[in-house]
Amino acid sequence: MRIDIQGGTLKVSEVRELGASSAGELKDKVRTQLGDRQNIDIDLGETSYIDSCGIGTLIGLRKLVANREGVVRVLNPQPSVRQILRLTQMDRVFEIVNNPP
Amino acid sequence: MTKHAAAVTDGLQLDLPCDLAAVRPATEALREYLRSRGCSDSDVIDCELATAEACNNAVEYVLPAAKDQPVRLEITTTPSEIEIQVGDHTGGFTLPEKPVLPDLESEGGRGLFVILSVMKSVRYERGESGNTLVMIRERVRD
């Protein structure tokens, strides 16, 4: 997992899986490194697996930045991950962006 | 994780330690088994997800006295269906008739929704020595 800072945004990438046994690591790392930044970009381009615990983690991060009027964007989800986001209506909650500039 | 492939004719049976870290290796084994049985990508992805949700619940809600009991996973296929059974030692739960999505802002409560959404039929059998969630998927072609 990789974390980069881009201005007011913390970007997470190289996430292989986001499941019950792995989502906690993402949550902890983001909380530790978020500082006073407003926004979080989570690049799921390399994520082959997500379950409902992973989705719960994304919701938790959304609440974290909502307090500071920030947003969580989900970038480049693979088709299988996008399908689960759609099934659970997370495409109504998160801005999902492919190939951001 | 212990394999008992011989115990189920033409199927796969696994005993997982009651630990979330054991769930992904088990669902990866399920994925390989379903692929070896010629299941479509859609079937593999949905069954892997539903099994993960069922196993996660079996681990998270296990009764304190049963933490040393394994979570038993059994998978069988026919040309038209995939049947997955997940044994648990929890206090049990009431299976809703229809999938109900929790509030969009909720951080939990989507596991059963996912299972009911991707399976053709689901039933929950309670027993004195444990419970079993039986999930049946109608095979689809990609």
Side-chain angles (χ1 to χ4, degrees):
Chain A
M1 184 185 308
R2 174 174 168 172
I3 293 187
D4 295 301
I5 306 299
Q6 298 174 342
T9 299
L10 183 144
K11 181 178 178 182
V12 185
S13 58
E14 299 179 10
V15 180
R16 199 174 75 83
E17 295 189 343
L18 204 48
S21 63
S22 52
E25 181 191 1
L26 183 146
K27 195 173 192 175
D28 291 345
K29 285 191 173 178
V30 169
R31 282 187 166 167
T32 302
Q33 300 194 42
L34 185 61
D36 58 0
R37 291 165 196 88
Q38 272 189 303
N39 305 310
I40 302 172
D41 280 354
I42 302 185
D43 191 335
L44 298 183
E46 296 178 33
T47 308
S48 59
Y49 173 84
I50 187 170
D51 64 19
S52 65
C53 292
I55 288 170
T57 296
L58 297 180
I59 294 282
L61 295 178
R62 182 174 186 271
K63 289 178 181 173
L64 187 65
V65 295
N67 293 333
R68 43 184 101 172
E69 298 184 352
V71 296
V72 173
R73 298 194 308 168
V74 175
L75 313 183
N76 308 313
Q78 295 183 22
S80 60
V81 171
R82 181 181 285 268
Q83 181 182 334
I84 295 162
L85 295 174
R86 193 178 301 126
L87 173 69
T88 53
Q89 298 184 12
M90 287 300 103
D91 53 347
R92 291 170 49 185
V93 174
F94 295 102
E95 182 182 359
I96 298 177
V97 183
N98 285 318
N99 303 313
Chain B
M1 180 167 55
T2 307
K3 278 192 182 184
H4 299 285
V8 176
T9 303
D10 204 23
L12 178 67
Q13 181 172 304
L14 304 170
D15 282 345
L16 292 61
C18 192
D19 184 338
L20 287 176
V23 173
R24 279 299 287 148
T27 59
E28 286 168 353
L30 171 141
R31 182 174 63 205
E32 293 311 309
Y33 168 74
L34 293 179
R35 284 182 175 157
S36 77
R37 305 304 300 161
C39 295
S40 66
D41 287 347
S42 299
D43 287 338
V44 172
I45 290 168
D46 286 348
C47 287
E48 187 178 3
L49 179 62
T51 303
E53 300 292 355
C55 291
N56 288 342
N57 285 343
V59 172
E60 286 186 43
Y61 299 108
V62 67
L63 294 170
K67 285 184 177 176
D68 59 343
Q69 299 281 323
V71 174
R72 174 154 292 189
L73 176 58
E74 294 185 17
I75 308 112
T76 54
T77 64
T78 70
S80 60
E81 290 183 342
I82 301 163
E83 179 171 317
I84 302 166
Q85 297 191 17
V86 177
D88 73 67
H89 297 89
T90 70
F93 61 89
T94 301
L95 191 64
E97 289 184 15
K98 295 179 182 176
V100 179
L101 195 60
D103 184 283
L104 290 178
E105 295 293 335
S106 171
E107 293 182 42
R110 293 181 179 82
L112 284 176
F113 170 83
V114 168
I115 291 169
L116 290 166
S117 297
V118 302
M119 290 290 162
K120 181 180 83 169
S121 68
V122 181
R123 67 179 189 273
Y124 191 60
E125 299 172 349
R126 292 172 182 265
E128 288 185 6
S129 59
N131 313 302
T132 305
L133 185 69
V134 182
M135 306 180 284
I136 297 175
R137 163 94 174 178
E138 193 167 20
R139 290 175 67 164
V140 298
R141 308 280 174 222
D142 281 332

